């Protein structure tokens, strides 16, 4: 309620104002609550929601008080192109959605493909969460790579057969390594060598790939715990934020770790993700610094 006055005042310039909050529910709830006031004053209201609900971040919503739906996440919301939501006088959204759009805009090849129209004024709700807790998690845009689900499933089955003497766990470094005994045991299970016994420092491309699968399978099996690091809902692995304890649907661990956890829990392994060229990882801080408000 308090944010209504400064948002309206700064929106009078015609340059657009933003309200940044911590989750999708709060973004759409607050936008709908304040929309009657803003509409009465002649202002339009846009709402950003997670990529999974908006065609991978291509769409967003405008608040339309006449549009009704039995579904809470669609009620009084009209789906529009992302740029149109940013063209509204006032735009509500989460820090991650503003951050991802900031990344995507800086990766476009043409100016007209950008969706954000600048960063004139913003109010940050729960600022300690957004600029301290959430800012510790880098925003990484990834693209699809080749499907390697079979290898993740295979290595998940291998690590379940290991004995305590086969591996060493370092909680401090968040790593798990095979011992010499463990490598021999894995080679016996797989039926193929992981290294050349005469020149162990020389490994083939295929051996390097298999060692990569094994590394992530070991981490998934012995470091990442269900109901602490992640939840499983509807056969999907959902990350739990280590700082806030909140679920982060739509987010995925990189470098094959997410697929390794999916294989561990017998969930369908979605296509691997490989990072695309990106800006420095502290995008939340970089993005918020561009708002003078």
């Amino acid at each position: 309620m308090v944010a209504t006055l400064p948002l309206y005042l700064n929106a009078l310039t015609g340059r657009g104002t933003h309200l940044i909050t911590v989750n999708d529910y709060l973004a759409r709830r607050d936008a709908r609550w304040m929309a009657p006031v803003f509409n009465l004053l002649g202002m339009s209201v846009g709402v950003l929601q997670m990529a999974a609900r908006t065609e991978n971040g291509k769409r967003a919503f405008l608040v339309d008080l006449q549009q009704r739906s039995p579904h809470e996440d669609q009620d009084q919301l009209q789906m529009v192109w992302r740029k149109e939501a940013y063209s509204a006088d006032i735009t509500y959204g989460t820090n991650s959605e503003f951050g991802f759009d900031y990344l995507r805009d800086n990766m476009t090849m043409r100016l007209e493909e950008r969706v954000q129209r600048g960063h004139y004024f913003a109010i940050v709700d729960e600022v300690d969460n957004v600029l301290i807790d959430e800012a510790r998690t880098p925003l990484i845009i990834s693209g699809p790579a080749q499907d390697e689900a079979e290898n993740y499933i295979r290595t998940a089955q291998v690590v379940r057969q290991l004995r305590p003497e086969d591996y060493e766990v370092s909680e401090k470094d968040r790593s798990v390594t095979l011992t010499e005994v463990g490598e021999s045991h894995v080679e016996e299970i797989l039926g193929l060598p992981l290294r050349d016994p005469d020149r162990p420092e020389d490994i083939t491309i295929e051996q390097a790939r298999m060692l990569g699968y094994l590394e992530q399978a070991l981490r998934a099996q012995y470091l990442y715990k269900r109901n602490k690091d992640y939840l499983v809902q509807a056969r999907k692995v959902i990350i739990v934020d280590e700082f806030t304890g909140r679920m982060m649907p739509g987010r995925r661990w990189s470098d094959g770790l997410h697929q390794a956890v999916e294989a561990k829990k017998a969930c369908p392994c979605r296509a691997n993700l490989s990072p695309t060229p990106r800006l420095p990882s502290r995008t939340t801080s970089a993005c918020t610094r561009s708002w003078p408000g």
Side-chain angles (χ1 to χ4, degrees):
M1 192 72 179
V2 175
T4 307
L5 296 177
L7 285 173
Y8 170 68
L9 177 64
N10 285 275
L12 288 173
T13 63
R15 298 172 66 181
T17 59
H18 302 146
L19 189 138
I20 304 169
T21 188
V22 294
N23 61 55
D24 282 343
Y25 169 73
L26 291 178
R28 60 179 181 266
R29 183 202 70 179
D30 293 355
R32 284 190 297 235
W33 276 4
M34 296 298 105
V37 176
F38 290 131
N39 288 172
L40 186 64
L41 296 169
M43 297 283 174
S44 56
V45 181
V47 184
L48 308 179
Q49 297 283 273
M50 71 172 67
R53 296 189 55 241
T54 55
E55 298 181 16
N56 291 321
K58 296 178 182 177
R59 300 275 192 158
F61 299 92
L62 289 178
V63 177
D64 182 351
L65 299 176
Q66 306 304 315
Q67 186 160 317
R68 309 299 304 193
S69 170
H71 303 288
E72 182 277 328
D73 60 353
Q74 299 174 23
D75 190 38
Q76 297 182 318
L77 297 175
Q78 175 191 354
M79 184 170 280
V80 295
W81 291 108
R82 198 80 158 186
K83 194 168 188 174
E84 192 173 342
Y86 275 109
S87 295
D89 298 295
I90 298 156
T91 305
Y92 284 73
T94 64
N95 55 294
S96 59
E97 290 308 308
F98 282 111
F100 279 126
D101 288 336
Y102 177 76
L103 276 179
R104 282 187 284 260
D105 278 359
N106 280 276
M107 292 168 59
T108 58
M109 302 302 292
R110 294 184 296 177
L111 187 62
E112 60 268 23
E113 292 177 354
R114 293 189 172 190
V115 296
Q116 294 184 338
R117 56 169 170 153
H119 305 104
Y120 171 64
F121 179 86
I123 292 177
V124 181
D125 182 27
E126 296 191 37
V127 67
D128 57 332
N129 187 302
V130 171
L131 296 185
I132 299 176
D133 298 333
E134 289 284 333
R136 296 175 186 175
T137 305
L139 303 179
I140 302 174
I141 294 181
S142 301
Q146 64 188 90
D147 187 3
E148 299 169 320
E150 187 176 322
N151 291 316
Y152 290 110
I153 295 170
R154 184 184 184 189
T155 50
Q157 294 169 345
V158 168
V159 298
R160 292 193 196 104
Q161 302 176 54
L162 298 182
R163 303 177 293 259
E165 63 269 23
D166 290 335
Y167 57 89
E168 295 177 348
V169 179
S170 173
E171 292 283 354
K172 180 181 177 181
D173 298 328
R174 299 292 284 172
S175 65
V176 185
T177 56
L178 290 171
T179 62
E180 287 188 22
V181 173
E183 283 200 12
S184 298
H185 190 192
V186 169
E187 289 176 340
E188 182 183 331
I189 296 170
L190 289 173
L192 55 87
L194 295 178
R195 302 178 190 273
D196 185 334
D198 298 323
R199 299 178 61 85
E201 69 279 3
D202 293 338
I203 58 176
T204 66
I205 293 176
E206 286 305 315
Q207 288 171 333
R209 287 165 63 85
M210 182 55 66
L211 287 169
Y213 294 129
L214 284 167
E215 178 187 358
Q216 298 300 5
L218 287 164
R219 294 179 67 205
Q221 184 70 26
Y222 300 112
L223 289 176
Y224 287 79
K225 309 299 182 184
R226 184 173 182 173
N227 297 331
K228 178 190 173 193
D229 300 299
Y230 63 91
L231 300 175
V232 177
Q233 295 183 350
R235 302 194 70 203
K236 290 183 179 180
V237 173
I238 301 175
I239 298 173
V240 174
D241 188 283
E242 62 179 311
F243 303 108
T244 66
R246 289 190 171 112
M247 293 190 297
M248 301 196 298
R251 301 276 189 93
R252 292 176 66 80
W253 289 302
S254 59
D255 301 324
L257 176 60
H258 208 97
Q259 289 76 15
V261 175
E262 288 171 332
K264 168 188 172 182
K265 304 310 298 182
C267 297
C269 290
R270 292 166 56 189
N272 197 2
L273 296 177
S274 58
T276 58
R278 60 185 176 92
L279 300 177
S281 60
R282 295 183 64 186
T283 52
T284 300
S285 300
C287 189
T288 52
R289 280 199 298 270
S290 62
W291 276 287

